[in-house]
Amino acid sequence: MSMFRTVTARLYAPTKPLIPRFSNGLRKYATKSQTDLKEVLAAMIPVEQEEIKSFRSQHGSSKIGDIQIDQLYGGMRGMKSMICETSVLDPEEGIRFRGLSIPECQKVLPTAPGGEEPLPEGLFWLLVTGEVPTQEQADWLSRQWADRADLPSHVVTMLDNFPNNLHPMSQFSAAISALNSESNFAKSYAEGVHKTKYWEFAYEDSMDLIAKLPTVAAKIYRNLYRDGSSIGAIDPEKDWSANFTSMLGYEEPMFTELMRLYLTIHSDHEGGNVSAHTCHLVGSALSDPYLSFAAAMNGLAGPLHGLANQEVLVWLTKLQQDLGGEVSDEQLRDFIWNTLKGGQVVPGYGHAVLRKTDPRYTCQREFALKHLPDDPMFKLVSQLYKIVPGVLLEQGKAKNPWPNVDAHSGVLLQYYGCKEMQYYTVLFGVSRALGCLASYIWSRALGLPLERPKSMSTEGLKKLVGA
């Protein structure tokens, strides 16, 4: 079952004059003339509600797999236990956003004038609707987010009063929670709005929050690393990424292009990762989008999730300090083995689901080959790409010895002058809002219930299996 059929598509009679169309196996509606995303959603939601209702009535009692004891102790890996429509992660193929791979997204999503990388606005439209947007639809989102980007004064004051030793992610999460003062969803719920209207206020909050996140993130960056200098004003003629890089203080066009790519590829990675699952779980309690996404960001801040890109650069920096300039393959091999024998992992390699090179790594590598082929750090990362997988296979412990997204992103950011490693996870967080909040809107539209799985004690499990 899929909200927007990614493998098979079938026609059904809509309640409004929408004509389903098909492209790349993705069910689509004829909404290209509509630029208001909320209006597009209003037409789609009744049809999707009916489809899922019908599917559950016919197959609700069907079994989809078994659960093993090891899965309960092993982080629930591989358990089919939740719905996520926005993206699907295949172990061999990597991520697909509503059925489209990253290279396909790079080909079909709208771009900025003169640019080549996809606009994150286009990806958000795709995640929410299952449709590849027109340029006009992506531009409409750019203007919407520019209009909604201002912060309330109490959030600005709070950010200005934070001590410099408070981690950027802690500041980011706190500011998002404080933005809850602006929540349409919380206000409407308190006033007794009917549950069929929840999605409308979830949508408004999500649009507001996505719009404000670059402003929050830029304010944190300027306070910590640029002596509290002004972020400047939002330009309504710029896209989301261009306004963000401008507020950060970077005017290099290729850095903005990199940010468009970065914010697109980090947006979603199906529903079971820590940040996406946290947002879904907290949202299932009908916490508003601000509180739900703030919780997700506390998960993203963990070293086994979003903080990993920072750890990659720390490890690369230590490698350079220990081995000097140009390094031979044999020196690298010894350094990698010493890392492993010291009880550490090689950061940036391996993934809980993927069993091939992460396509998010690949597209960043292609960006580097095109724009910074002679950068020493990029050359080192490329050299590691040739050596690390072989060492990990030789060690025999890694199920996936291939690089993930974190193995490359920090190198690109450093090349363009963004060298504050502690800040990198904030950039990840700005991007991850696109996926988390697209799913949040649909969770409220479909009336998904409070998530409450059954837990077991070890003693209870022993009795269950007769141990």
Side-chain angles (χ1 to χ4, degrees):
M1 187 274 292
S2 167
M3 184 185 307
F4 300 99
R5 202 60 65 188
T6 57
V7 180
T8 62
R10 59 184 174 80
L11 299 174
Y12 44 78
T15 56
K16 295 194 176 185
L18 298 172
I19 304 171
R21 294 178 289 133
F22 309 97
S23 175
N24 298 319
L26 200 68
R27 188 176 73 198
K28 304 186 78 174
Y29 297 81
T31 59
K32 296 302 182 185
S33 62
Q34 296 173 291
T35 56
D36 189 315
L37 180 56
K38 194 173 185 179
E39 291 181 4
V40 173
L41 269 172
M44 290 180 167
I45 285 170
V47 181
E48 302 305 329
Q49 288 171 332
E50 186 58 35
E51 184 192 5
I52 292 174
K53 180 182 178 181
S54 174
F55 175 74
R56 291 186 66 182
S57 69
Q58 296 177 50
H59 302 284
S61 61
S62 299
K63 295 183 179 180
I64 59 172
D66 298 315
I67 297 175
Q68 300 174 350
I69 297 289
D70 276 347
Q71 289 177 295
L72 271 68
Y73 288 100
M76 299 191 287
R77 300 289 172 85
M79 285 174 55
K80 298 178 179 68
S81 57
M82 61 186 300
I83 297 295
C84 177
E85 309 287 5
T86 50
S87 63
V88 174
L89 180 59
D90 182 85
E92 301 296 325
E93 188 179 56
I95 195 67
R96 280 188 176 271
F97 302 117
R98 293 289 194 187
L100 299 181
S101 67
I102 287 177
E104 288 169 341
C105 286
Q106 288 178 294
K107 289 179 181 177
V108 302
L109 289 179
T111 61
E116 297 181 355
E117 299 300 340
L119 289 169
E121 292 91 326
L123 186 78
F124 183 69
W125 189 288
L126 174 67
L127 293 178
V128 172
T129 68
E131 293 187 335
V132 174
T134 64
Q135 187 71 52
E136 290 73 22
Q137 289 168 332
D139 291 344
W140 180 86
L141 274 176
S142 295
R143 292 190 296 272
Q144 281 284 305
W145 290 349
D147 288 343
R148 298 169 182 245
D150 287 342
L151 301 181
S153 58
H154 72 88
V155 173
V156 174
T157 300
M158 181 182 72
L159 288 169
D160 286 341
N161 287 335
F162 279 144
N164 288 339
N165 64 348
L166 184 63
H167 194 281
M169 280 300 288
S170 299
Q171 297 190 34
F172 193 54
S173 172
I176 294 167
S177 292
L179 282 169
N180 154 268
S181 63
E182 312 305 296
S183 175
N184 297 285
F185 185 93
K187 179 181 178 183
S188 298
Y189 183 85
E191 293 173 349
V193 67
H194 195 277
K195 62 183 180 181
T196 58
K197 300 288 187 181
Y198 285 171
W199 77 266
E200 297 183 27
F201 301 100
Y203 168 86
E204 294 296 342
D205 276 6
S206 296
M207 289 284 284
D208 285 345
L209 178 52
I210 291 170
K212 296 177 190 308
L213 287 176
T215 315
V216 171
K219 184 68 175 169
I220 293 169
Y221 186 81
R222 293 279 193 158
N223 283 350
L224 288 176
Y225 311 118
R226 296 295 183 270
D227 299 320
S229 57
S230 172
I231 63 173
I234 294 288
D235 185 344
E237 299 304 315
K238 288 183 177 180
D239 61 84
W240 192 55
S241 305
N243 266 314
F244 187 22
T245 55
S246 179
M247 287 190 291
L248 290 171
Y250 292 89
E251 300 299 338
E252 165 61 49
M254 289 317 304
F255 181 74
T256 300
E257 271 288 272
L258 171 63
M259 193 56 60
R260 292 180 183 121
L261 176 64
Y262 184 100
L263 295 175
T264 295
I265 66 174
H266 285 78
S267 62
D268 207 34
H269 221 225
E270 81 172 26
N273 65 77
V274 171
S275 54
H277 189 192
T278 300
C279 189
H280 173 76
L281 172 63
V282 176
S284 79
L286 297 186
S287 297
D288 63 63
Y290 298 98
L291 298 180
S292 301
F293 189 65
M297 291 301 92
N298 287 329
L300 189 70
L304 296 184
H305 193 13
L307 202 67
N309 56 9
Q310 176 181 325
E311 294 197 326
V312 169
L313 277 177
V314 171
W315 187 78
L316 289 175
T317 302
K318 184 177 187 305
L319 189 159
Q320 288 183 316
Q321 290 174 345
D322 289 359
L323 302 182
E326 292 193 12
V327 182
S328 69
D329 289 356
E330 194 58 38
Q331 285 177 300
L332 271 185
R333 182 180 295 274
D334 290 341
F335 188 88
I336 294 162
W337 271 113
N338 288 336
T339 297
L340 297 171
K341 289 176 181 177
Q344 299 174 306
V345 299
V346 178
Y349 282 77
H351 191 274
V353 178
L354 284 170
R355 295 297 175 262
K356 291 289 181 67
T357 298
D358 191 335
R360 299 173 299 174
Y361 173 95
T362 303
C363 71
Q364 290 183 104
R365 174 174 169 78
E366 290 169 352
F367 185 96
L369 285 169
K370 186 174 183 178
H371 299 292
L372 47 137
D374 299 322
D375 178 61
M377 188 69 89
F378 169 59
K379 288 184 175 180
L380 178 59
V381 167
S382 297
Q383 194 177 0
L384 287 166
Y385 185 30
K386 295 187 299 182
I387 297 171
V388 172
V391 173
L392 293 178
L393 287 171
E394 186 179 344
Q395 184 198 31
K397 293 183 179 180
K399 293 182 179 180
N400 171 25
W402 307 105
N404 59 50
V405 66
D406 299 311
H408 216 306
S409 55
V411 172
L412 295 173
L413 294 169
Q414 288 229 337
Y415 176 81
Y416 288 104
C418 185
K419 299 183 178 182
E420 297 82 9
M421 290 184 287
Q422 279 199 324
Y423 185 76
Y424 290 171
T425 312
V426 174
L427 299 175
F428 195 159
V430 172
S431 172
R432 186 49 58 95
L434 303 178
C436 286
L437 296 174
S439 290
Y440 184 101
I441 294 166
W442 274 104
S443 293
R444 302 292 76 77
L446 298 174
L448 297 187
L450 178 72
E451 185 177 293
R452 179 57 168 89
K454 171 63 178 170
S455 62
M456 299 285 290
S457 66
T458 297
E459 187 62 31
L461 285 174
K462 287 180 178 179
K463 291 179 180 177
L464 191 64
V465 300

